Amino acid sequence: MIVDTLTVVYRDEIELLHKQAEKFNFYMPMNSVNNIFVIVNDDDLTTDDINHDWWAWHRDKVRVIHRSEFGYYPPPTIKGWYTQQICKILGTCHALSEWCLIYDAKTLPNCTYDKRLLFDGNRARCANWAENMSPHWQSGVQFLKDKFGITDFKWISPAGVPFLAHVPTMRAMVYEEPDFVEWFHTYCDFPNRFNPHTRGITEFLCYSAYVSSIPGLFEELYTNEQQIKVFNLADWEIDKF
């Protein structure tokens, strides 16, 4: 299975993106990726600031897109963590392969890409992690369960990056809403005393909910088992790297 990859970057993460590109050169065989999408999520950063040569022999596959090319101009009240999520969703909708492997700029692969670790035939090797979900996400989950009438919510692993999204399904999710971006902006922040009506949804919660809302779709797209390990480290945990 040949995929597209997608990374969202803003100015402070340029050096991390450079490191990720070097990792791609080392771990991504030429025949494993169709397009490498880089979505620029910063008004002070241009597509010309991204050097295609960082990806060496993959350079011709790099597609750099500024968020404004999607018609996305986030209001100043929406924090970067949320605009990054919108960029992942919109970027995936513009992917050209059936599957898109979504990264953050600070996500670094540390093993050779092997499609057998990520796919079994046409299905992605991702599991349902709903039983392990933190209470931190419950307001968003409950909101999405109510919205879609879901009784069996499947939280698609690894619940963060690197995330395998089925491109046609992501598009269908966006088209379901008359104005997906405005809807996401309304409910992405966590409930607080200034805005008690928001719900703390995320890009991958929304995608998982949409998949869960269609009978049999999770089983059609995912194997319900995961072969890779993902490690999330905060900056203060760098000694564990």
Side-chain angles (χ1 to χ4, degrees), residues 111-177:
C111 66
T112 300
Y113 178 90
D114 184 342
K115 66 180 181 180
R116 294 169 298 181
L117 294 177
L118 294 179
F119 292 95
D120 179 7
N122 293 323
R123 295 195 298 165
R125 291 187 182 273
C126 300
N128 174 16
W129 278 8
E131 292 184 359
N132 301 317
M133 182 178 292
S134 165
H136 183 72
W137 307 110
Q138 285 307 308
S139 63
V141 171
Q142 190 58 54
F143 171 76
L144 292 167
K145 288 172 71 173
D146 293 341
K147 172 180 171 58
F148 289 111
I150 299 169
T151 56
D152 183 17
F153 185 89
K154 294 178 171 64
W155 198 35
I156 299 171
S157 70
V161 291
F163 190 87
L164 272 168
H166 185 243
V167 173
T169 300
M170 186 71 85
R171 289 177 187 150
M173 179 191 77
V174 171
Y175 295 153
E176 185 83 8
E177 286 292 326

Side-chain angles (χ1 to χ4, degrees), residues 16-26 54-56 58:
L16 290 171
L17 180 69
H18 190 178
K19 295 297 182 185
Q20 183 185 87
E22 292 176 344
K23 291 284 189 177
F24 273 31
N25 295 332
F26 193 75
W54 294 343
W55 285 266
H58 287 301

